[in-house]
Amino acid sequence: MSFIKSNENISDSGKRAEGASGALCNVLHRFDAQEQGEEAYRIVRELYPICRSITGDGVRQSLCLLQGTAPLELREVSSGTQVFDWTVPKEWNIRDAYIKNEAGERVVDFQRCNLHVLNYSVPVRQKMSLKELKPHLFTLPETPDWIPYRTSYYRETWGFCLTQRQLESMGDGQYEVSIDSTLEPGHLTYGEYRIQGATDDEVLISCHACHPSLCNDNLSGIAIAARLAGLLKAVSLRHSYRFLWIPGTIGSITWLAMNEAILPRIRHGLVLSCVGDSGPFTYKRSRRGDAEVDRAVEHVLLHCEREFQALDFTPYGYDERQYCSPGINLPVGCFMRTPNGRYPQYHTSADDLSLVTPSSLGESLLQLLRVIQVLDENGRYFNLNPKCEPQLGRRGLYRQMGGTKDAAASEMAMLWVLNLSDGEHDLLDIAIRSGIPFAEVSRAADALKEAGLLGSAS
Amino acid sequence: MSFIKSNENISDSGKRAEGASGALCNVLHRFDAQEQGEEAYRIVRELYPICRSITGDGVRQSLCLLQGTAPLELREVSSGTQVFDWTVPKEWNIRDAYIKNEAGERVVDFQRCNLHVLNYSVPVRQKMSLKELKPHLFTLPETPDWIPYRTSYYRETWGFCLTQRQLESMGDGQYEVSIDSTLEPGHLTYGEYRIQGATDDEVLISCHACHPSLCNDNLSGIAIAARLAGLLKAVSLRHSYRFLWIPGTIGSITWLAMNEAILPRIRHGLVLSCVGDSGPFTYKRSRRGDAEVDRAVEHVLLHCEREFQALDFTPYGYDERQYCSPGINLPVGCFMRTPNGRYPQYHTSADDLSLVTPSSLGESLLQLLRVIQVLDENGRYFNLNPKCEPQLGRRGLYRQMGGTKDAAASEMAMLWVLNLSDGEHDLLDIAIRSGIPFAEVSRAADALKEAGLLGSAS
Amino acid sequence: MSFIKSNENISDSGKRAEGASGALCNVLHRFDAQEQGEEAYRIVRELYPICRSITGDGVRQSLCLLQGTAPLELREVSSGTQVFDWTVPKEWNIRDAYIKNEAGERVVDFQRCNLHVLNYSVPVRQKMSLKELKPHLFTLPETPDWIPYRTSYYRETWGFCLTQRQLESMGDGQYEVSIDSTLEPGHLTYGEYRIQGATDDEVLISCHACHPSLCNDNLSGIAIAARLAGLLKAVSLRHSYRFLWIPGTIGSITWLAMNEAILPRIRHGLVLSCVGDSGPFTYKRSRRGDAEVDRAVEHVLLHCEREFQALDFTPYGYDERQYCSPGINLPVGCFMRTPNGRYPQYHTSADDLSLVTPSSLGESLLQLLRVIQVLDENGRYFNLNPKCEPQLGRRGLYRQMGGTKDAAASEMAMLWVLNLSDGEHDLLDIAIRSGIPFAEVSRAADALKEAGLLGSAS
């Protein structure tokens, strides 16, 4: 493990040459969703057993494992650091926890599933009756085989989460309760990776990395962010890309508080969460509602040939709550499949390795790459021959035989780009208005630029 | 009866202390819709037999009876007064009217129902054949047991309204026709009551009080306005509230012509009509269409757990025609159940005491109180901790146990208020955007103000 | 034939007196759709046999025939003239063309149908095998009895269009191929007719006149434009009206390039095409999308008591492509029944005299006249009595008997005009907002102007 204290500079990989544009298009061309999905699933499986929280060694261990996929750096912020209205909490670590019955058998055992401990439980070692114990026990009576996931980060207490069946099988005797944890001054740890592009304008990709053995929420997001970083690091891009693997809420608040100077450079952003289940895509818009990233994601999903839903921003969910607080107000949306709280396994032990699939992970990554393509290739142009259509035919850009019913797709894309390139509409506008996928519109713009018919408006 | 000449000052009940905010909330908390509805119904029943018109003693008598419910004052404007493009007409009074057959029997008798006389009929005393009489007779052949309601305010004529069956039973002989009315210089009379609030900004509540024995249109509006005035007079309010009981058209024109200086203070207004039948609520928007009162009423009705309809403004209907004329253009909508002309009993003798019910009246009053609450408590605030969420948990405003599926309703309301309180959105915007009832949003704002997290934006 | 070189002045028919307003209303009143449709159909039938192209004698002959209906003038532009990015092409003329089999029989014969020749074919006279011939043959295998319509204006080649059945019956022997055409420097010819109105503000009506024996596309548009011009020339109008019968694409580009100074005067415009089939109306909006002409056509079609569709602008179709190019951007929409490419007979020999009907042509003309009425009579006014309603009754504009359920249609129109005539809404806005047909709103405005209640806002 190599730690870097927060706010040190991350070494840039150097300004990329602008000439290599189109490389992203090659990544998409070569993209094998199944293979990519399996790589992502491998990461999920590897991280699954680790007990993570908003601080502690589980986070560190997880981030180090991700370094095999993307060269992220670990950053540490001391407990007690003031971050806006919040204070970085003490660091929590746990070695073992159990409830033993009178026979000395572990009826609840942290070693079997780390969800069994109320996350951030203070240490305890005590004998008590079931009646005394009960206020510290959490179950899900309606799904009696599932362990709930519960936390108590900011009120010092302890507890156990167990299945309803476990609870019902516990007799009235005395129990030995043990949580071998520490809650002490230490650090909050997060992962960060920045790819320098041709410009300093940034795209932010953020995911919460604080949940223990829960796969869709959010090992799926963690893995996809790592794979996306891995794919983009080799590509010539216009924007710089910043990836964050952070504890939910306190992590984004900490990062925002310590990086306010960077915020004006963030042009677009996405929070990734719950991207591994097989449900249709869900996009939750940024607080602005019509930011470029909002329009880009909705355009891409409209062409993904599956149902999807786009939801207006609400101040509940993931770290978009902080990125979209009124004093920050970044254009950051949240990219998901089935949203938090909308699938039965949410925040239970049933959010396990069977809920996420390689093919869902692969498809999520593909759509994200398409969104990145829109964000990176979008631009505003001027038709340099704005009075009537230019004669595309003599430039070899238009069919010579007239009378057929429809124009070819590439011709339609060129006509649209020419018609709407008045300095007011960008390529994404044109793609949305025409119903033509962005990639086709972008290709048409390239052909027209090459023919000298289109000039940059910026 | 104590009359006040128009344009004299109405004595204010004195500026109310601002401290007592929330009192309206108490009124709503204590509100018993059935009891309130019965009180309103009692007023309707009491006013029902009186023969009202746009002028005359019937109006005076009705307004005096209302003084038992709300301390309104009677105002008088002389016949011949020029009010914009109109002239206050002569005063009409009527003592008796009938058609007698040759046997001396009253076949049509004003004493049995005041609708029998064409409202504003000039005096007549004459013998004539049925054939001569017929041009003066009005019936409803399709509902042969109902008497129509007809008026002729601005063309001097006379007539009788009767049931089709009455007409059919009239033989060919001679008839004695008598209308013992007077149409002479006098006054136009209306009722006015103003409650002084913490500010001079006014909410206008207006209803037409010119119809004779017709219950839904508009004894229901008259009674509800009186009950609303009675309830509000004891409450500490931000706005001042002005109630008008006026003759339709000429009454609002007269009031507007004589009170132009007041108009800039009128921030919101509602015309009340047809609020006693059991149909779903109808709101007709002000000419502006998106005035605060329009948004307030629609928000309240959206949460009333019944179907309702919101209609765009049209220049036909009740006195909103005048309040929303282009040179006046006040933000005044019209609050109804079934609108004018959209129920079969409209403007007939069947709009009687059986068409309106205490429970409908009570429910109408309840929704109006909720609208008043929105108008009076609405405001624009600044989140004083706008960068990321404030830590609500340490202020006791947020649950300490994490991991549950949804936030509590009160927590969601606070998150919404914090997120959208950027000086651009008022609490009503937040209620509409979040789908949370205004009262809950207002409570959340109070809690946040108390915690020092919210400051006034005005 | 009398030709005028392009850019000479067209003699105006002289400024019309403004007094005769309402004459358009008389045209509409007297309009007999069946009779008008038959007149238009007669033109279609007369022009049907002529072989038209984007240049040549077929166009000249067609335009001369139209002079019997509207006094249009023929204009000529020399081959080689530079028009924006294009060059006026050589002139094409054709006398005969055929494919003869070894027996000397014409198996494909231009004399039977001019669609048989690839339009703009260069001359050829040659013997060749079927195999050599095949690359020059075009058929429609899915509709084996129809001849396709194909062109090659800008690449010099030759070809034949024939039915699939003809092709299948051709044996393997030698064929004599002959196209007796010329492609030489000459002129591009178009028709133009301008009616001077009370102002120089223009309405442009444009149709493409370059298609050979195809009826719906676009003899229907040619004929309707001529009939419309014939009807309007006798009427007192506010706008001036300019009619163009031009070859598609190159024609509008030529006209636009040579008349840039006129463009600022064009307030509204319509391209007419495919107006003779029996499908529902289709309106394709101008690039602006909410131009007055867009709102006018949609309003008229909404009241045409038939289904219709309104489509957003796309940069494909007819000459609206050029009129709506970003550097021209005129408010020009396209008025059609079934659009190009959306009926099976499109660009085939089946677009013949049986596809268009007199009644469809008549109905198209009627709707266009109604659109013209909106454009010509629309205006913005001020209610001169804006505070409350004026007393319409004493001016004889309102019923005297009150209490009836609804206002008369004419009364409602007056109330709407009064309410919305605040200088911001024009009569078309008021018609759209109220749902009342424009003609009724316009009549109400006339009555109010006469009563001194409405003043012009411009």
Side-chain angles (χ1 to χ4, degrees):
Chain A
M1 288 195 207
S2 70
F3 298 155
I4 295 184
K5 290 296 162 201
S6 177
N7 277 3
E8 287 178 23
N9 272 335
I10 294 187
S11 58
D12 289 345
S13 46
K15 295 246 176 190
R16 285 159 193 288
E18 278 187 284
S21 93
L24 187 54
C25 165
N26 293 338
V27 172
L28 273 158
H29 189 70
R30 289 190 310 261
F31 190 84
D32 178 332
Q34 189 57 33
E35 179 192 312
Q36 292 286 341
E38 276 159 17
E39 284 298 318
Y41 190 79
R42 194 189 49 72
I43 299 171
V44 171
R45 206 171 42 212
E46 200 172 14
L47 297 180
Y48 181 59
I50 301 168
C51 181
R52 281 164 297 275
S53 183
I54 55 171
T55 62
D57 288 332
V59 178
R60 289 188 190 91
Q61 189 187 346
S62 300
L63 295 173
C64 288
L65 283 171
L66 289 179
Q67 286 174 325
T69 302
L72 63 91
E73 306 189 46
L74 276 69
R75 293 171 169 265
E76 305 254 304
V77 182
S78 301
S79 300
T81 305
Q82 190 69 20
V83 285
F84 293 134
D85 192 52
W86 300 61
T87 307
V88 173
K90 293 180 197 160
E91 181 175 327
W92 184 68
N93 283 293
I94 182 165
R95 279 155 298 278
D96 194 10
Y98 57 80
I99 303 173
K100 277 189 185 159
N101 62 15
E102 291 178 350
E105 297 160 336
R106 291 188 170 205
V107 296
V108 177
D109 184 359
F110 171 78
Q111 301 302 338
R112 298 182 63 161
C113 178
N114 56 44
L115 294 175
H116 275 314
V117 169
L118 175 73
N119 204 293
Y120 249 67
S121 280
V122 293
V124 62
R125 185 162 192 113
Q126 208 174 326
K127 290 213 175 183
M128 52 177 73
S129 68
L130 182 59
K131 196 183 158 201
E132 289 167 306
L133 184 51
K134 269 199 171 163
H136 294 272
L137 301 184
F138 304 95
T139 66
L140 294 167
E142 293 185 10
T143 49
D145 292 314
W146 296 356
I147 307 161
Y149 163 56
R150 291 289 178 274
T151 68
S152 185
Y153 302 135
Y154 302 101
R155 190 173 62 106
E156 297 198 357
T157 183
W158 61 268
F160 284 88
C161 301
L162 60 162
T163 71
Q164 179 67 14
R165 292 209 203 286
Q166 279 177 304
L167 178 61
E168 284 165 6
S169 70
M170 287 167 73
D172 267 343
Q174 285 291 105
Y175 288 91
E176 183 191 335
V177 172
S178 168
I179 297 181
D180 179 11
S181 67
T182 53
L183 186 60
E184 290 167 351
H187 294 88
L188 175 153
T189 311
Y190 65 91
E192 185 165 12
Y193 175 50
R194 186 174 179 280
I195 302 170
Q196 175 68 43
T199 70
D200 286 336
D201 288 347
E202 290 196 3
V203 178
L204 176 71
I205 305 290
S206 173
C207 60
H208 63 283
C210 52
H211 284 25
S213 291
L214 297 166
C215 283
N216 199 35
D217 178 17
N218 190 30
L219 290 175
S220 68
I222 292 169
I224 290 299
R227 292 297 305 163
L228 185 61
L231 286 169
L232 294 187
K233 73 172 195 275
V235 180
S236 283
L237 295 161
R238 180 161 60 103
H239 291 92
S240 296
Y241 285 77
R242 187 182 298 268
F243 293 82
L244 294 177
W245 293 263
I246 50 175
T249 305
I250 187 65
S252 50
I253 292 170
T254 298
W255 189 86
L256 286 165
M258 302 184 86
N259 291 279
E260 279 198 81
I262 288 172
L263 306 189
R265 285 192 244 147
I266 298 180
R267 303 292 179 197
H268 323 283
L270 286 174
V271 168
L272 307 186
S273 183
C274 305
V275 289
D277 68 285
S278 57
F281 289 107
T282 298
Y283 178 64
K284 177 180 165 183
R285 297 183 184 106
S286 77
R287 182 176 183 272
R288 301 181 185 187
D290 62 349
E292 193 171 333
V293 68
D294 299 324
R295 293 157 54 242
V297 177
E298 288 182 58
H299 172 72
V300 165
L301 293 182
L302 199 65
H303 288 273
C304 79
E305 285 168 19
R306 292 194 49 177
E307 215 189 346
F308 77 98
Q309 59 177 340
L311 308 173
D312 274 329
F313 178 77
T314 65
Y316 195 67
Y318 295 104
D319 287 309
E320 69 277 8
R321 290 165 68 161
Q322 314 309 328
Y323 297 127
C324 297
S325 56
I328 304 289
N329 203 24
L330 288 173
V332 174
C334 182
F335 186 90
M336 300 173 277
R337 284 170 168 279
T338 310
N340 50 308
R342 295 296 166 265
Y343 52 100
Q345 305 92 335
Y346 174 76
H347 278 194
T348 76
S349 56
D351 182 357
D352 62 15
L353 287 165
S354 71
L355 186 63
V356 306
T357 68
S359 69
S360 290
L361 289 164
E363 199 194 2
S364 296
L365 185 52
L366 174 59
Q367 302 311 330
L368 282 167
L369 274 172
R370 287 186 173 147
V371 171
I372 298 294
Q373 181 184 30
V374 176
L375 297 176
D376 223 66
E377 296 182 6
N378 192 24
R380 204 174 290 267
Y381 297 94
F382 275 114
N383 176 343
L384 299 176
N385 187 83
K387 294 180 179 179
C388 299
E389 292 169 12
Q391 196 177 8
L392 295 175
R394 71 173 152 86
R395 294 173 174 91
L397 297 173
Y398 208 78
R399 68 191 184 281
Q400 296 286 352
M401 176 73 57
T404 49
K405 205 171 101 179
D406 293 308
S410 65
E411 290 168 356
M412 281 309 297
M414 280 187 286
L415 292 176
W416 274 111
V417 170
L418 287 168
N419 192 273
L420 292 180
S421 287
D422 52 6
E424 283 184 34
H425 303 89
D426 60 26
L427 297 183
L428 177 55
D429 290 328
I430 297 171
I432 291 169
R433 170 73 194 279
S434 67
I436 299 171
F438 179 86
E440 185 90 54
V441 169
S442 185
R443 251 196 307 278
D446 284 343
L448 292 168
K449 276 184 272 183
E450 196 146 318
L453 290 169
L454 210 60
S456 178
S458 60
Chain B
M1 288 195 209
S2 71
F3 298 155
I4 294 182
K5 291 295 161 200
S6 178
N7 277 2
E8 287 179 23
N9 271 335
I10 293 188
S11 59
D12 288 343
S13 45
K15 294 250 175 188
R16 284 162 192 289
E18 278 187 283
S21 93
L24 188 54
C25 163
N26 293 339
V27 172
L28 272 158
H29 189 68
R30 288 191 310 260
F31 190 85
D32 178 332
Q34 190 57 32
E35 179 192 311
Q36 293 285 340
E38 276 159 17
E39 284 298 318
Y41 190 79
R42 193 189 48 72
I43 298 171
V44 170
R45 205 170 43 211
E46 199 172 14
L47 297 180
Y48 180 60
I50 301 169
C51 182
R52 279 164 298 273
S53 183
I54 55 172
T55 61
D57 288 332
V59 179
R60 289 188 190 92
Q61 188 187 348
S62 300
L63 295 173
C64 288
L65 283 171
L66 289 178
Q67 287 174 325
T69 302
L72 62 92
E73 306 189 45
L74 277 68
R75 293 168 169 266
E76 304 256 302
V77 181
S78 300
S79 300
T81 305
Q82 191 69 20
V83 286
F84 294 134
D85 191 53
W86 301 61
T87 307
V88 173
K90 293 179 199 160
E91 182 175 327
W92 184 68
N93 283 293
I94 182 165
R95 276 154 300 278
D96 195 10
Y98 56 80
I99 302 173
K100 276 188 185 162
N101 61 14
E102 291 177 350
E105 297 161 338
R106 291 189 169 203
V107 295
V108 177
D109 185 359
F110 171 78
Q111 301 302 340
R112 298 183 60 163
C113 177
N114 56 43
L115 294 175
H116 275 314
V117 169
L118 174 72
N119 204 292
Y120 248 68
S121 282
V122 294
V124 63
R125 184 161 194 115
Q126 209 174 328
K127 290 214 171 179
M128 53 178 70
S129 68
L130 182 58
K131 198 183 158 199
E132 289 167 306
L133 183 53
K134 269 199 172 163
H136 294 273
L137 301 184
F138 305 95
T139 67
L140 295 167
E142 292 185 9
T143 48
D145 291 315
W146 296 356
I147 308 160
Y149 163 57
R150 291 289 178 274
T151 68
S152 185
Y153 302 135
Y154 302 101
R155 189 173 61 106
E156 296 198 356
T157 183
W158 62 267
F160 285 88
C161 301
L162 60 163
T163 70
Q164 180 67 13
R165 293 207 202 286
Q166 279 177 304
L167 178 62
E168 286 163 5
S169 70
M170 286 168 72
D172 267 344
Q174 285 291 103
Y175 288 91
E176 182 193 335
V177 172
S178 168
I179 297 180
D180 178 13
S181 67
T182 53
L183 186 59
E184 290 167 349
H187 294 87
L188 176 153
T189 312
Y190 64 91
E192 186 164 10
Y193 175 50
R194 186 173 179 281
I195 302 170
Q196 176 68 46
T199 70
D200 285 336
D201 290 347
E202 288 196 4
V203 178
L204 176 70
I205 305 290
S206 173
C207 60
H208 62 284
C210 53
H211 284 25
S213 291
L214 296 165
C215 284
N216 199 34
D217 177 18
N218 190 31
L219 290 175
S220 68
I222 292 169
I224 290 299
R227 291 296 305 164
L228 185 60
L231 285 169
L232 294 187
K233 73 171 195 274
V235 180
S236 284
L237 296 160
R238 180 161 60 104
H239 292 90
S240 296
Y241 286 76
R242 186 182 299 267
F243 293 81
L244 295 177
W245 292 263
I246 50 175
T249 305
I250 187 64
S252 50
I253 292 170
T254 299
W255 189 87
L256 287 165
M258 303 184 86
N259 291 280
E260 279 198 80
I262 288 172
L263 306 189
R265 286 192 242 147
I266 298 180
R267 303 292 180 198
H268 323 284
L270 286 173
V271 167
L272 306 186
S273 182
C274 304
V275 289
D277 67 284
S278 57
F281 289 106
T282 298
Y283 179 64
K284 177 181 165 183
R285 298 182 184 106
S286 77
R287 183 177 183 272
R288 302 182 184 187
D290 62 349
E292 193 171 334
V293 67
D294 299 324
R295 294 157 53 241
V297 176
E298 289 181 57
H299 172 73
V300 165
L301 293 183
L302 200 65
H303 288 274
C304 80
E305 284 167 20
R306 292 194 50 178
E307 215 188 345
F308 77 98
Q309 60 176 341
L311 308 173
D312 274 329
F313 178 78
T314 65
Y316 195 66
Y318 295 104
D319 287 310
E320 68 278 7
R321 289 164 69 161
Q322 314 310 328
Y323 297 127
C324 297
S325 56
I328 304 289
N329 204 23
L330 288 173
V332 174
C334 182
F335 186 90
M336 299 172 279
R337 285 170 167 278
T338 310
N340 49 307
R342 296 294 166 263
Y343 52 100
Q345 305 91 334
Y346 174 76
H347 278 192
T348 77
S349 56
D351 182 357
D352 63 14
L353 287 165
S354 71
L355 185 63
V356 306
T357 67
S359 70
S360 291
L361 289 165
E363 200 194 0
S364 297
L365 185 53
L366 174 59
Q367 302 309 330
L368 283 167
L369 275 172
R370 288 185 174 148
V371 171
I372 298 293
Q373 181 183 31
V374 175
L375 296 176
D376 223 67
E377 295 182 6
N378 192 24
R380 205 174 291 267
Y381 296 94
F382 275 114
N383 175 343
L384 299 176
N385 186 84
K387 295 181 178 178
C388 299
E389 292 170 11
Q391 195 176 9
L392 296 175
R394 73 173 150 86
R395 294 174 174 89
L397 298 174
Y398 208 78
R399 66 191 185 282
Q400 296 286 352
M401 176 72 58
T404 49
K405 204 170 103 179
D406 293 308
S410 65
E411 291 168 355
M412 281 309 297
M414 280 187 286
L415 292 176
W416 274 110
V417 171
L418 287 168
N419 192 273
L420 291 180
S421 286
D422 52 6
E424 283 184 34
H425 304 88
D426 60 25
L427 296 182
L428 177 55
D429 291 328
I430 297 172
I432 291 169
R433 171 72 195 279
S434 67
I436 300 171
F438 179 87
E440 184 91 53
V441 169
S442 184
R443 251 196 307 277
D446 284 343
L448 292 168
K449 277 184 272 183
E450 196 146 318
L453 291 169
L454 210 61
S456 178
S458 59
Chain C
M1 290 193 207
S2 71
F3 298 155
I4 295 183
K5 292 295 162 201
S6 178
N7 277 2
E8 288 178 24
N9 271 335
I10 294 187
S11 58
D12 288 344
S13 46
K15 294 249 176 189
R16 284 160 194 289
E18 278 188 283
S21 91
L24 188 55
C25 162
N26 293 339
V27 172
L28 273 158
H29 189 69
R30 288 191 310 261
F31 190 85
D32 177 331
Q34 190 58 32
E35 180 191 311
Q36 292 285 341
E38 276 159 17
E39 283 297 318
Y41 190 79
R42 193 189 49 73
I43 299 171
V44 170
R45 204 171 45 211
E46 200 173 11
L47 297 180
Y48 181 59
I50 302 170
C51 181
R52 279 164 299 274
S53 182
I54 56 172
T55 62
D57 288 333
V59 179
R60 289 187 190 92
Q61 190 186 346
S62 301
L63 295 174
C64 287
L65 284 172
L66 288 178
Q67 287 174 325
T69 302
L72 62 91
E73 307 188 46
L74 276 69
R75 294 171 167 263
E76 303 254 303
V77 182
S78 300
S79 300
T81 305
Q82 191 68 22
V83 286
F84 294 134
D85 191 53
W86 301 62
T87 307
V88 174
K90 293 180 198 158
E91 181 175 326
W92 184 69
N93 282 293
I94 182 165
R95 277 155 299 278
D96 195 10
Y98 56 80
I99 303 173
K100 275 186 186 163
N101 62 15
E102 291 176 351
E105 298 161 339
R106 291 189 169 203
V107 295
V108 177
D109 184 0
F110 171 78
Q111 302 302 338
R112 298 182 60 163
C113 178
N114 57 42
L115 293 175
H116 275 313
V117 170
L118 174 73
N119 204 292
Y120 249 68
S121 281
V122 294
V124 63
R125 184 162 194 114
Q126 208 175 326
K127 291 213 173 180
M128 52 177 72
S129 68
L130 183 59
K131 197 184 158 197
E132 290 167 305
L133 183 52
K134 269 200 171 164
H136 295 273
L137 301 183
F138 305 95
T139 66
L140 293 168
E142 293 186 9
T143 48
D145 291 315
W146 295 356
I147 308 161
Y149 163 57
R150 292 288 179 275
T151 68
S152 185
Y153 302 135
Y154 301 102
R155 189 173 62 104
E156 297 197 356
T157 184
W158 60 268
F160 285 88
C161 301
L162 59 164
T163 70
Q164 179 68 14
R165 294 210 201 285
Q166 279 178 303
L167 178 61
E168 285 164 7
S169 70
M170 285 167 73
D172 266 342
Q174 285 293 102
Y175 288 91
E176 184 192 333
V177 171
S178 169
I179 297 181
D180 179 12
S181 66
T182 54
L183 186 58
E184 290 167 350
H187 294 87
L188 176 152
T189 312
Y190 65 90
E192 185 164 12
Y193 175 50
R194 186 173 179 280
I195 302 170
Q196 176 67 45
T199 70
D200 285 336
D201 290 347
E202 289 195 4
V203 178
L204 176 71
I205 305 290
S206 173
C207 60
H208 63 284
C210 53
H211 284 24
S213 292
L214 297 166
C215 284
N216 200 33
D217 178 17
N218 189 29
L219 290 175
S220 69
I222 291 169
I224 290 299
R227 293 296 306 163
L228 185 60
L231 285 170
L232 293 187
K233 74 172 194 275
V235 180
S236 284
L237 296 161
R238 180 161 59 104
H239 292 90
S240 296
Y241 285 77
R242 187 183 298 268
F243 293 82
L244 296 177
W245 293 263
I246 49 175
T249 304
I250 187 65
S252 50
I253 292 171
T254 298
W255 189 86
L256 286 165
M258 302 184 86
N259 291 280
E260 280 197 80
I262 288 172
L263 306 188
R265 285 191 243 146
I266 298 179
R267 303 292 180 199
H268 324 283
L270 287 173
V271 168
L272 306 187
S273 183
C274 304
V275 289
D277 68 284
S278 57
F281 289 107
T282 298
Y283 179 64
K284 177 181 165 183
R285 297 181 184 107
S286 77
R287 183 178 184 271
R288 303 181 184 186
D290 62 349
E292 192 170 334
V293 68
D294 298 324
R295 294 157 53 241
V297 177
E298 289 182 58
H299 172 73
V300 165
L301 293 182
L302 199 65
H303 287 274
C304 78
E305 284 168 20
R306 291 194 49 177
E307 216 188 344
F308 77 98
Q309 59 176 341
L311 308 172
D312 274 329
F313 178 78
T314 66
Y316 195 67
Y318 296 104
D319 287 310
E320 69 277 9
R321 288 164 68 161
Q322 314 309 328
Y323 297 127
C324 297
S325 55
I328 304 290
N329 203 24
L330 289 173
V332 174
C334 182
F335 185 90
M336 300 173 278
R337 284 170 168 277
T338 310
N340 49 306
R342 295 297 166 263
Y343 52 100
Q345 305 93 334
Y346 174 76
H347 278 193
T348 77
S349 56
D351 182 357
D352 62 14
L353 287 165
S354 71
L355 185 63
V356 307
T357 66
S359 70
S360 290
L361 290 164
E363 200 194 1
S364 297
L365 185 52
L366 174 59
Q367 302 310 330
L368 283 167
L369 275 173
R370 287 185 174 148
V371 171
I372 298 294
Q373 181 183 31
V374 176
L375 296 175
D376 223 66
E377 295 182 5
N378 192 23
R380 204 173 290 269
Y381 296 93
F382 275 114
N383 176 343
L384 299 176
N385 186 83
K387 294 182 178 177
C388 299
E389 293 170 14
Q391 196 176 8
L392 296 175
R394 72 173 151 86
R395 294 173 175 92
L397 298 173
Y398 208 79
R399 67 191 184 281
Q400 295 286 353
M401 175 72 59
T404 50
K405 206 171 103 179
D406 293 308
S410 64
E411 291 167 355
M412 281 309 297
M414 280 187 285
L415 292 176
W416 274 110
V417 171
L418 287 169
N419 192 272
L420 292 179
S421 287
D422 52 6
E424 284 185 33
H425 303 88
D426 59 26
L427 296 183
L428 176 56
D429 291 327
I430 296 171
I432 291 169
R433 171 72 195 279
S434 67
I436 299 171
F438 179 87
E440 184 91 54
V441 169
S442 185
R443 250 196 308 278
D446 284 344
L448 292 168
K449 277 184 270 183
E450 197 145 319
L453 291 169
L454 210 61
S456 178
S458 60

